Amino acid sequence: RGVDDCWAAAVDEELFESFSVDSLMELAGLSVAAALADAFPLSSHPRPLVVCGPGNNGGDGLVAARHLWHFGYRPTIIYPKRSQKPLFVNLAAQVGALGIPVLDAMPPGADEAHHMLLDCVFGFSFKPGSLRAPFDAILPAMAASTLPLVSVDVPSGWDVDSGPAGGADDLRPAVLISLTAPKACAAHFDGRHYLGGRFVPPAILEKYGFTQPAFSGAEQFVRL
């Protein structure tokens, strides 16, 4: 079963009592990169286009892009609304130090130049109807793309509980990488589904009535 936004927010609050935001983001971004590499191997999909929003989901995307670069991929990042908080400034500097291109808008010819889209725009706290520039142009461009789409935690623009709005611009990912636990909107998803977030203490999961499936070996994700 999927969890709602209240569950997700409560678990995040518990995690923040013992983890720093940057450590959680590092672990989440690593699991995203590992799952993407499983779904789209380097040998066939070396050039991901990573679209990052202004919040924590965007931070996960910056971390994932850095790990993908170290895995051998050559990502390009779309990061149009850059946070000036020190954590995000540092994450942007880290990808810049690797020479990863960071753009403000979807580039022309994106479908020809890249192999997949990684959607790290909005997370579970997004409320439908609150879409503003520049994402009111970026999300439709992502929806119109012919590239396979990988969404992190919640496909951007979806309601975390009820799923897509039912419009022409709804994102329809081929792959969903849920973090910590699948959200309720995952009931409307029928592609390849991964779970990342191998960092939640069992006591927190028990408190909120959820059990993660077993992770194998050193894997950072589970295929659902």
Side-chain angles (χ1 to χ4, degrees), residues 136-194:
D136 57 348
I138 288 175
L139 259 61
M142 294 169 66
S145 172
T146 59
L147 295 174
L149 177 65
V150 180
S151 286
V152 173
D153 209 26
V154 177
S156 293
W158 286 27
D159 182 274
V160 65
D161 295 329
S162 59
D169 292 334
D170 286 341
L171 297 188
R172 295 292 180 182
V175 175
L176 177 62
I177 305 170
S178 295
L179 297 175
T180 307
K183 309 308 180 283
C185 63
H188 300 272
F189 171 74
D190 59 3
R192 281 183 288 176
H193 196 179
Y194 292 82

Side-chain angles (χ1 to χ4, degrees), residues 30-45 68 71 73 116 150 175-177 192-195 216 219-224:
L30 175 59
S31 68
V32 168
L36 183 144
D38 183 78
F40 295 104
L42 175 63
S43 58
S44 56
H45 294 76
L68 287 167
F71 294 170
Y73 291 82
M116 93 287 287
V150 180
V175 175
L176 177 62
I177 305 170
R192 281 183 288 176
H193 196 179
Y194 292 82
L195 177 68
S216 175
E219 294 283 12
Q220 297 299 310
F221 60 84
V222 176
R223 299 175 194 87
L224 300 179

Side-chain angles (χ1 to χ4, degrees), residues 84-107:
Q84 294 307 304
K85 294 179 180 178
L87 168 59
F88 293 90
V89 171
N90 290 340
L91 291 175
Q94 290 162 14
V95 297
L98 297 174
I100 298 173
V102 182
L103 311 178
D104 292 323
M106 295 288 283

Side-chain angles (χ1 to χ4, degrees), residues 65 93 107 119 130 161 182 185 187 210:
D119 161 31
S130 61
D161 295 329
C185 63
F210 188 81

Side-chain angles (χ1 to χ4, degrees), residues 40-56:
F40 295 104
L42 175 63
S43 58
S44 56
H45 294 76
R47 295 193 299 276
L49 185 59
V50 183
V51 188
C52 296
N56 288 353

Side-chain angles (χ1 to χ4, degrees), residues 52-124:
C52 296
N56 288 353
N57 223 44
D60 294 345
L62 294 172
V63 172
R66 169 163 44 80
H67 284 293
L68 287 167
W69 189 93
H70 286 294
F71 294 170
Y73 291 82
R74 289 300 173 257
T76 295
I77 297 171
I78 309 298
Y79 190 28
K81 193 172 181 182
R82 305 184 190 189
S83 172
Q84 294 307 304
K85 294 179 180 178
L87 168 59
F88 293 90
V89 171
N90 290 340
L91 291 175
Q94 290 162 14
V95 297
L98 297 174
I100 298 173
V102 182
L103 311 178
D104 292 323
M106 295 288 283
D111 286 11
E112 292 72 31
H114 301 92
H115 294 112
M116 93 287 287
L117 279 166
L118 179 59
D119 161 31
C120 302
V121 181
F122 300 123
F124 65 78

